[in-house]
Amino acid sequence: MGHGTRMQEFLRHFGRHRGWTRGFVAAIPEQYFGWSPRLDDFTCGGLVRHMMAAEVFWRRLIVAGAAGEPFDPFQLPGDLQARVEAFRAPNVAAARREKYGKTFADCLASWEPIQAETEAALGAIAEENLD
C-alpha cells in the first residue's frame, strides 16, 4: 500500500472517523444526555454508551475471528432478524447503566482506554489473518 500495512491503514481510517464521532459527542449539550424520543428508546447518552460497548464487543469478535475462535456470547436462537429483535430491549437497558459515565464528558474520558485497547488489539492481528 505504500503507507504501511493494511491494518495501519485501517487504524488511521478508524482514527479519523473516531475523531469525528468524538467531536460530535463533545458538541452535544449535556442537557440532552438523558433525553430520548420515547421511553423505550436509547437516550442520547445511552447511544454514546452503546457505541462504547459495541466497540468492546466488536473488538472481541474481530480478535477471536482473526485467531480462528468462535465468539457468540449471547447465544440467541433464530435468524439475524429474530436475534436483533430479541437483543434490542436488553441492549437499550444496558446502555442506560452508568458504567461508562453519567455525562458526555465522562463517556469521552471513559472511552479513551477502550479506544487504546482496541487499537492495540487490532494492531496485533497478523496481516495474514485479516482476511
Side-chain angles (χ1 to χ4, degrees), residues 23-100:
F24 178 75
V25 170
I28 303 170
E30 288 292 348
Q31 69 200 50
Y32 294 109
F33 190 82
W35 180 85
S36 67
R38 296 184 325 214
L39 289 176
D40 62 340
D41 282 341
F42 284 102
T43 63
C44 291
L47 283 172
V48 174
R49 291 178 185 141
H50 175 68
M51 288 189 291
M52 297 165 71
E55 181 170 335
V56 172
F57 170 81
W58 285 103
R59 176 191 340 123
R60 290 176 182 162
L61 182 71
I62 291 166
V63 169
E69 301 166 358
F71 182 72
D72 184 9
F74 308 114
Q75 303 290 313
L76 297 172
D79 64 10
L80 177 60
Q81 185 64 35
R83 291 165 55 120
V84 167
E85 288 174 12
F87 194 60
R88 180 161 175 29
N91 210 4
V92 171
R96 291 183 185 266
R97 293 187 202 114
E98 297 176 350
K99 175 181 177 180
Y100 294 122

Side-chain angles (χ1 to χ4, degrees), residues 9-19 55 115 118-119 122:
E9 289 290 322
F10 171 76
L11 288 173
R12 278 193 287 275
H13 173 78
F14 188 55
R16 280 191 306 274
H17 284 270
R18 173 183 287 148
E55 181 170 335
Q115 294 169 342
T118 297
E119 290 176 12
L122 295 181

